[in-house]
């Protein structure tokens, strides 16, 4: 059986023979750019908050799949993780790790796509923002595949990478669904349609399946935890606020519970099986 990628179970991979500063600095600059642009997009540095741009279609009550406002506090955790990662990969151990070296390219792409998304929604280009956010999901999924295939050089590196980019992937997966719903609403699709709540329920179930698939593949619950967080706040938003729907709200809360229980069980089972196989 394939061994686990938990840091305590395997030694680190061979270090890079001659670590260079160039790509590490490029990575750090890209991450810093994404963080600064995010502050502008939040309105903290004089920009217009994302919820108020693009005709308000990205606000917490615009669609049935929009999470309530407090859900977006997860960005603070993600950006803090990106800052820690940016600093870590500049250190001697970060530059020598071949695992970290393979992750710099998707990390840079994810930072640039993040900045691009905030920029285009500030301009009100919702259609382009959908294309960009799905590109971001694809890059983060690619990054997860690289992390899953390789071995970190230390437990610290494992936690920095999986916690940061696992939460990132999970949250952006939820955000991509909400972003698509906002774009379709801006086009007049499903406005006041009787079938809109049923479609929202179907998409919530898809989110559960995505979360469980990621948990099965990654053997941890970081990404599913972020998806669970998003579903929880979609439920809260629909059970209160201006765009209420008991059907969508209750379903979202149930889906959040399903993700939490299912992903935890999958991660525990696969980790236990790996330990048994390594004896």
């Amino acid at each position: 059986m394939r061994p686990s990628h938990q840091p305590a179970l395997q030694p680190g991979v061979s270090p890079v023979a001659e670590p260079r500063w160039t790509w590490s600095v490029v990575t750090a600059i890209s991450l810093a750019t994404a963080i600064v642009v995010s502050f502008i997009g939040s309105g903290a540095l004089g920009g217009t908050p994302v919820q108020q741009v693009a005709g308000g279609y990205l606000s917490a009550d615009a669609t049935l799949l929009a999470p309530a406002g407090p859900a977006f506090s997860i960005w603070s955790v993600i950006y803090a993780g990106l800052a820690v990662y940016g600093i870590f990969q500049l250190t001697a151990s970060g530059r020598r790790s071949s695992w970290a070296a393979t992750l710099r390219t998707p990390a840079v792409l994810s930072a640039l796509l993040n900045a691009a998304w905030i920029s285009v929604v500030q301009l009100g280009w919702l259609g382009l923002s959908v294309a960009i956010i799905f590109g971001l999901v694809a890059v983060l999924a690619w990054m997860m595949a690289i992390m899953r295939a390789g071995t970190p050089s230390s437990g610290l590196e494992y936690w920095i990478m999986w916690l940061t980019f696992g939460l990132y992937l999970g949250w952006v997966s939820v955000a991509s669904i909400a972003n698509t719903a906002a774009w379709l609403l801006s086009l007049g699709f499903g406005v006041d349609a009787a079938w809109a709540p049923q479609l929202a329920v179907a998409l919530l179930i898809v989110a559960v399946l995505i979360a469980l698939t990621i948990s099965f593949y990654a053997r941890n619950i970081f990404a599913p935890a972020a998806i669970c967080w998003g579903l929880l706040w979609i439920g809260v938003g629909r059970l209160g606020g201006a765009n209420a729907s008991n059907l969508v709200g209750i379903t979202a809360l149930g889906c959040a519970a399903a993700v939490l229980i299912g992903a935890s069980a999958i991660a525990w089972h696969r980790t236990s099986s790996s330990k048994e196989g390594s004896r």
Side-chain angles (χ1 to χ4, degrees):
M1 181 176 291
R2 188 175 183 175
S4 169
H5 289 270
Q6 296 289 340
L9 302 180
Q10 290 197 29
V13 293
S14 301
V16 176
E18 296 183 4
R20 299 180 181 275
W21 280 97
T22 306
W23 200 232
S24 296
V25 172
V26 170
T27 302
I29 292 174
S30 300
L31 294 168
T33 300
I35 293 172
V36 170
V37 171
S38 75
F39 272 103
I40 296 174
S42 69
L45 297 180
T48 304
V50 169
Q51 293 82 358
Q52 298 177 18
V53 300
Y57 288 109
L58 293 171
S59 67
D61 291 318
T63 72
L64 291 174
L65 293 173
F72 297 94
S73 62
I74 194 174
W75 276 119
S76 298
V77 179
I78 294 171
Y79 284 126
L82 290 175
V84 171
Y85 161 65
I87 295 170
F88 171 78
Q89 59 93 39
L90 287 172
T91 65
S93 59
R95 288 185 293 113
R96 291 193 181 100
S97 169
S98 60
W99 194 62
T102 62
L103 295 168
R104 285 194 180 93
T105 296
V108 168
L109 289 175
S110 71
L112 296 178
L113 286 169
N114 187 309
W117 185 87
I118 294 174
S119 299
V120 299
V121 297
Q122 287 285 333
L123 295 171
W125 299 343
L126 279 177
L128 182 56
S129 74
V130 170
I132 291 174
I133 200 168
F134 276 104
L136 179 56
V137 171
V139 168
L140 292 172
W142 172 37
M143 195 169 191
M144 185 186 71
I146 296 174
M147 289 193 291
R148 182 66 183 82
T151 306
S153 60
S154 67
L156 176 63
E157 186 177 33
Y158 172 91
W159 283 101
I160 289 174
M161 298 303 297
W162 273 110
L163 181 59
T164 299
F165 290 98
L167 291 177
Y168 200 176
L169 172 60
W171 175 249
V172 172
S173 296
V174 174
S176 65
I177 296 174
N179 196 168
T180 302
W183 172 55
L184 292 175
L185 181 64
S186 73
L187 298 177
F189 181 79
V191 175
D192 297 326
W195 45 261
Q198 286 74 25
L199 177 59
V201 166
L203 291 174
L204 291 172
I205 294 173
V206 170
V208 173
L209 296 177
I210 291 172
L212 297 182
T213 299
I214 293 174
S215 179
F216 182 84
Y217 182 76
R219 298 185 184 181
N220 60 54
I221 63 170
F222 298 126
I227 294 176
C228 178
W229 174 261
L231 293 173
L232 171 65
W233 285 105
I234 290 174
V236 171
R238 298 295 73 75
L239 292 178
N243 194 5
S245 170
N246 288 335
L247 174 63
V248 177
I250 293 173
T251 301
L253 294 180
C255 286
V259 169
L260 179 62
I261 296 171
S264 298
I266 290 171
W268 178 83
H269 175 73
R270 290 183 67 82
T271 300
S272 299
S273 298
S274 296
K275 290 179 178 179
E276 289 294 331
S278 63
R279 290 178 181 175

